[in-house]
Amino acid sequence: MKRKFVTTVTAVTFAVSVFPMPVVLGSEVMNTTEMIKKAQRPEYKTRADIPARYKWNLEDIYISKEAWAADLKKLERMANAFPAHQGKLAESYAVFLKALNDLSDLMRLRDKVYVYASMGFDVNASNSSLKELFDKAEKESVLVSEKTSWFTPEVLAIPPNKRKAYLAKKEVAPYKPFLEDLERIKPHTLNKETEALLAQFSPLGQNPENVYSLLSKDVKFPKIKDENGKEVQLTRANFTAYMESKNRNVRKAAFEAYYRTLEEYQDTFAQVLSGKVKANNTYAKVRKYRNALEASLTPNNVPVKVYDQLIQSVNKGLPLLHRYMELKKRMLGVKELHMYDIYTPIVEANSSYIPYEEAQQRVLEGLKPLGEEYGKVLSKAFTSGWIDVYSTADKRSGAYQSGAYDTHPYVLLNYQGTTDDIFTIAHELGHAMHTYYTNRTQPYITANYPIFTAEVASTLNEALLFESMYAKAKTKQEKIYLLNQRLENFRTTLFRQTQFAEFEKLIHEKEQAGESLNAEALKKMYIDINKKYYGAAMVNDKEIAMEWGRIPHFYYNFYVYQYATSFAASTALAEQVLKEGRPAVDRIREKFLSAGNSKAPIEILREAGVDVSTSKPIDDALKVFAETLNELEKLISQK
């Protein structure tokens, strides 16, 4: 996941590389055969118990909290000084350029200050002093929004001929994409007084996400019995691992305990999600968008038709998913296929804990087709305090990549030693490499690529990792296992994320139409869509109706569809890398990974080799799913 950073509702948001980031040359990955043999699943009760080599080093951003505090004060001074440009942008080109440069410097420092505080809090949410830093960073981010909210309306108020003359100047060239974006959203930009008011209210729009994050952390799950009959504590971090257990009783226990616990808080979860949807819809209405979906996609220069055609194309492909579920049911040998069965491989594989050092090796090997330089940078990521590996009770769940233009990449993991975790590492490092090449090539102003292209880099890595592992498979059982994993990748990314996208669109439409988003309404909408996606082969367990309470992405404002579109695009790019070799690698690096937001995302991907403005990438990805399913069925039928 590329972490999204939003603290303002204004159009003045240059960049924040709180997303995938890269790596620098160097160093060898810490890994020996002896270490792998000795490694066991680590159990860390507190963050202090985790060795430093498995934690990210925030001192690379600020050597101390005092140094951070000094920049926080500097940020406040810069923010308060910026309004001195107000009312003067049309005076001369020199004044206009100075304002642009000052705005760029202000946003750049804001990014650095914010990510240091937010990442420190994410790995130690129970630390009150870190929460205080985070609160201060958020407060200053709001101040920046308030002090810059006048900028966009004033730029757009400059007479067209004068704006055109400004854009023709060589020194303004780095700002051209940003200024063109302002022109595009001009119909949705309000007067400076209203923009200032919206900036002051922006924290309210973020509040549901913050409440959800804290609520999810505070929910305590019961203990369940593991594969050995031992009582273990169920947590957000280990839930997925138990859902992959080959012991059906363990899977069922984890599934029921998790979602029934969420159901105890269903009204609170519903109120929080409803608040986010209302905020999105209100924002869209105030800015004169037709709906929240258009308001989300337009700033990224992505047509709404891309979202709609994704849902339409995937819905047409649902019979393939139903067929896969029928196969899974037969292979698992169950009379009924339940929601807690779908994460289990259809053939038994080595279920022992995969040491983190071994996971590193597999990722490096799998991504070799992307070139020697790419591999060296990956090695640096594993050895230089860029990755936070293991989970603790008060660490943020999931995985993401974060950082700012003036930092190296940071990747958050909650490593549990599963095969999925290896793919997660490859995914987040795809984000890291995207940012690495972008930051190395682009100035700050065009370095922050949109989410739409961000997920292409990450899922490209996953596709190449699969090809590497499948090519090395020596037995029929290994091949079946990996084919199943690939189909699961399609299910969880192309199908599942589209399912989420369809649900997210529906709840916004319902709220916009004046309908209540209470817990029972949300549960019914979710379980109905779930039934459509999984078909008659699947028992639509009532507990799954609460799955929306587990998905933080619903607070990111139409984020999830990009996983599915990106997955389709990366499937095509991976095929080009494997077939063409260096020409494709060079094209992808130069036209895509290094492009940032210097062009429209659809244009960037088209130049890299895939046209996502059409349904073809989705249709082609569904064909690959069908081919993989055919291959799996063929192998299974062989005696």
Side-chain angles (χ1 to χ4, degrees):
M1 166 188 169
K2 180 184 179 184
R3 186 176 177 195
K4 189 175 182 181
F5 175 80
V6 179
T7 58
T8 174
V9 296
T10 71
V12 184
T13 306
F14 277 156
V16 168
S17 303
V18 174
F19 300 35
M21 283 223 176
V23 204
V24 189
L25 299 180
S27 191
E28 17 179 298
V29 174
M30 109 190 119
N31 178 40
T32 65
T33 304
E34 185 178 357
M35 287 177 70
I36 292 175
K37 286 181 179 178
K38 291 182 178 180
Q40 298 177 354
R41 183 191 297 271
E43 298 289 343
Y44 298 116
K45 293 184 178 180
T46 69
R47 186 158 180 80
D49 297 333
I50 303 176
R53 65 180 180 271
Y54 299 125
K55 295 188 287 191
W56 56 28
N57 182 12
L58 296 185
E59 290 184 1
D60 288 346
I61 306 178
Y62 288 105
I63 193 65
S64 66
K65 292 179 182 177
E66 290 74 22
W68 174 84
D71 260 4
L72 185 72
K73 290 181 180 179
K74 180 181 178 182
L75 178 65
E76 184 173 3
R77 291 194 300 271
M78 291 172 65
N80 286 323
F82 187 73
H85 295 293
Q86 191 169 354
K88 302 176 182 178
L89 298 186
E91 288 183 2
S92 70
Y93 160 69
V95 171
F96 180 67
L97 181 61
K98 179 66 165 61
L100 281 173
N101 289 335
D102 286 353
L103 181 60
S104 179
D105 292 343
L106 176 61
M107 295 299 183
R108 187 167 170 175
L109 182 61
R110 179 203 64 172
D111 297 353
K112 185 179 179 183
V113 165
Y114 186 89
V115 298
Y116 176 84
S118 64
M119 291 194 302
F121 180 61
D122 279 352
V123 295
N124 203 340
S126 63
N127 187 311
S128 59
S129 66
L130 294 177
K131 178 63 165 63
E132 183 180 359
L133 262 63
F134 177 65
D135 289 342
K136 288 180 179 179
E138 281 209 319
K139 181 181 178 181
E140 291 305 317
S141 293
V142 172
L143 176 67
V144 170
S145 298
E146 293 173 359
K147 297 299 183 180
T148 60
S149 61
W150 59 269
F151 185 81
T152 295
E154 186 165 325
V155 169
L156 296 177
I158 297 173
N161 288 341
K162 182 168 282 191
R163 283 206 310 271
K164 186 176 180 181
Y166 285 175
L167 280 171
K169 299 288 187 178
K170 180 180 179 181
E171 293 82 358
V172 176
Y175 296 100
K176 190 174 181 180
F178 165 70
L179 294 172
E180 288 176 343
D181 282 347
L182 296 189
E183 291 284 351
R184 186 164 36 80
I185 64 171
K186 184 177 180 179
H188 309 288
T189 302
L190 310 173
N191 61 55
K192 61 184 180 182
E193 291 79 11
T194 308
E195 291 289 354
L197 183 63
L198 285 176
Q200 292 180 40
F201 277 94
S202 64
L204 298 180
Q206 290 301 109
N207 196 51
E209 180 185 349
N210 295 336
V211 173
Y212 172 81
S213 180
L214 292 173
L215 175 61
S216 298
K217 177 182 72 71
D218 290 342
V219 170
K220 304 301 179 186
F221 298 96
K223 291 183 177 180
I224 62 171
K225 290 186 177 180
D226 67 9
E227 293 84 349
N228 300 315
K230 177 185 175 183
E231 275 203 342
V232 292
Q233 181 65 54
L234 182 65
T235 67
R236 291 177 299 158
N238 65 23
F239 173 67
T240 301
Y242 287 123
M243 286 293 290
E244 292 176 347
S245 172
K246 60 185 179 182
N247 186 314
R248 200 180 194 202
N249 291 330
V250 172
R251 299 197 303 269
K252 182 179 180 183
F255 177 85
E256 292 179 347
Y258 196 97
Y259 289 116
R260 289 176 184 177
T261 300
L262 291 186
E263 194 169 25
E264 294 175 10
Y265 302 85
Q266 67 173 22
D267 292 331
T268 305
F269 277 112
Q271 185 67 26
V272 175
L273 181 56
S274 175
K276 182 61 176 177
V277 173
K278 288 178 181 178
N280 291 343
N281 281 341
T282 300
Y283 171 84
K285 183 178 180 180
V286 169
R287 290 200 176 278
K288 300 179 177 63
Y289 288 102
R290 289 177 297 174
N291 50 50
L293 177 61
E294 184 182 64
S296 176
L297 270 60
T298 299
N300 284 332
N301 205 3
V302 176
V304 171
K305 73 171 186 177
V306 171
Y307 196 103
D308 291 336
Q309 73 188 8
L310 167 68
I311 294 175
Q312 293 166 7
S313 295
V314 170
N315 269 252
K316 289 178 183 177
L318 288 179
L320 287 170
L321 181 60
H322 300 165
R323 180 178 142 202
Y324 171 47
M325 291 298 101
E326 291 283 359
L327 176 64
K328 189 150 196 169
K329 180 180 177 181
R330 293 198 306 271
M331 290 301 296
L332 290 176
V334 295
K335 292 182 179 179
E336 293 182 334
L337 185 69
H338 287 262
M339 292 304 302
Y340 50 79
D341 294 320
I342 59 175
Y343 290 95
T344 307
I346 59 176
V347 293
E348 188 171 334
N350 184 356
S351 60
S352 59
Y353 174 78
I354 302 170
Y356 178 62
E357 288 73 22
E358 182 179 340
Q360 293 176 5
Q361 277 190 332
R362 295 192 191 183
V363 170
L364 289 170
E365 183 66 26
L367 300 184
K368 277 185 176 180
L370 292 173
E372 183 179 356
E373 180 194 50
Y374 197 99
K376 287 180 179 178
V377 179
L378 289 176
S379 296
K380 180 76 171 179
F382 286 124
T383 59
S384 301
W386 295 2
I387 304 177
D388 207 88
V389 181
Y390 296 113
S391 61
T392 53
D394 57 355
K395 181 179 179 179
R396 177 176 173 145
S397 62
Y400 68 67
Q401 186 279 324
S402 186
Y405 189 77
D406 293 307
T407 78
H408 61 65
Y410 286 92
V411 169
L412 180 140
L413 304 173
N414 279 278
Y415 188 75
Q416 298 292 316
T418 68
T419 300
D420 277 352
D421 286 328
I422 300 177
F423 280 94
T424 296
I425 294 170
H427 179 103
E428 299 305 335
L429 287 176
H431 285 317
M433 296 303 295
H434 193 180
T435 303
Y436 170 74
Y437 283 113
T438 292
N439 285 356
R440 192 175 69 169
T441 307
Q442 298 292 330
Y444 170 78
I445 195 67
T446 53
N448 185 41
Y449 44 86
I451 300 166
F452 190 83
T453 55
E455 296 302 336
V456 177
S458 55
T459 50
L460 170 62
N461 277 12
E462 291 189 67
L464 293 174
L465 178 60
F466 164 79
E467 296 292 348
S468 169
M469 295 176 71
Y470 191 70
K472 292 179 174 60
K474 297 178 180 178
T475 67
K476 175 183 174 181
Q477 184 170 346
E478 284 181 280
K479 291 180 179 180
I480 290 175
Y481 177 80
L482 288 170
L483 288 170
N484 177 220
Q485 288 299 100
R486 188 182 205 191
L487 291 171
E488 280 298 289
N489 220 11
F490 273 86
R491 182 187 68 79
T492 57
T493 308
L494 185 60
F495 290 104
R496 180 173 166 83
Q497 301 304 324
T498 304
Q499 176 187 350
F500 289 167
E502 189 169 345
F503 174 73
E504 189 171 7
K505 183 182 180 184
L506 179 62
I507 61 178
H508 280 81
E509 291 173 344
K510 294 291 187 183
E511 198 284 328
Q512 189 176 20
E515 297 186 28
S516 171
L517 295 183
N518 58 63
E520 293 303 324
L522 289 167
K523 286 163 65 178
K524 185 178 188 310
M525 283 186 276
Y526 194 88
I527 204 163
D528 286 348
I529 291 176
N530 194 76
K531 184 176 182 179
K532 178 177 72 172
Y533 271 74
Y534 286 101
M538 177 72 70
V539 175
N540 208 26
D541 298 280
K542 63 179 183 179
E543 289 85 0
I544 202 63
M546 272 304 300
E547 188 174 37
W548 55 268
R550 177 176 171 249
I551 310 301
H553 297 70
F554 291 144
Y555 294 85
Y556 301 162
N557 195 9
F558 295 100
Y559 183 105
V560 294
Y561 86 98
Q562 295 160 117
Y563 282 120
T565 54
S566 297
F567 183 85
S570 64
T571 299
L573 293 179
E575 185 175 353
Q576 293 173 24
V577 168
L578 295 173
K579 286 184 176 180
E580 299 176 30
R582 184 166 181 174
V585 170
D586 290 345
R587 183 176 65 249
I588 290 168
R589 183 183 65 250
E590 295 168 9
K591 301 296 185 181
F592 165 47
L593 294 178
S594 301
N597 65 346
S598 59
K599 297 179 181 178
I602 289 177
E603 184 179 350
I604 287 171
L605 290 176
R606 187 183 295 117
E607 291 181 358
V610 58
D611 188 355
V612 295
S613 67
T614 71
S615 63
K616 188 177 186 303
I618 308 297
D619 297 337
D620 287 348
L622 288 169
K623 290 178 184 177
V624 173
F625 180 83
E627 292 167 359
T628 307
L629 184 56
N630 291 340
E631 177 68 13
L632 179 59
E633 290 172 335
K634 180 181 176 182
L635 278 175
I636 288 173
S637 66
Q638 293 176 356
K639 295 184 179 180

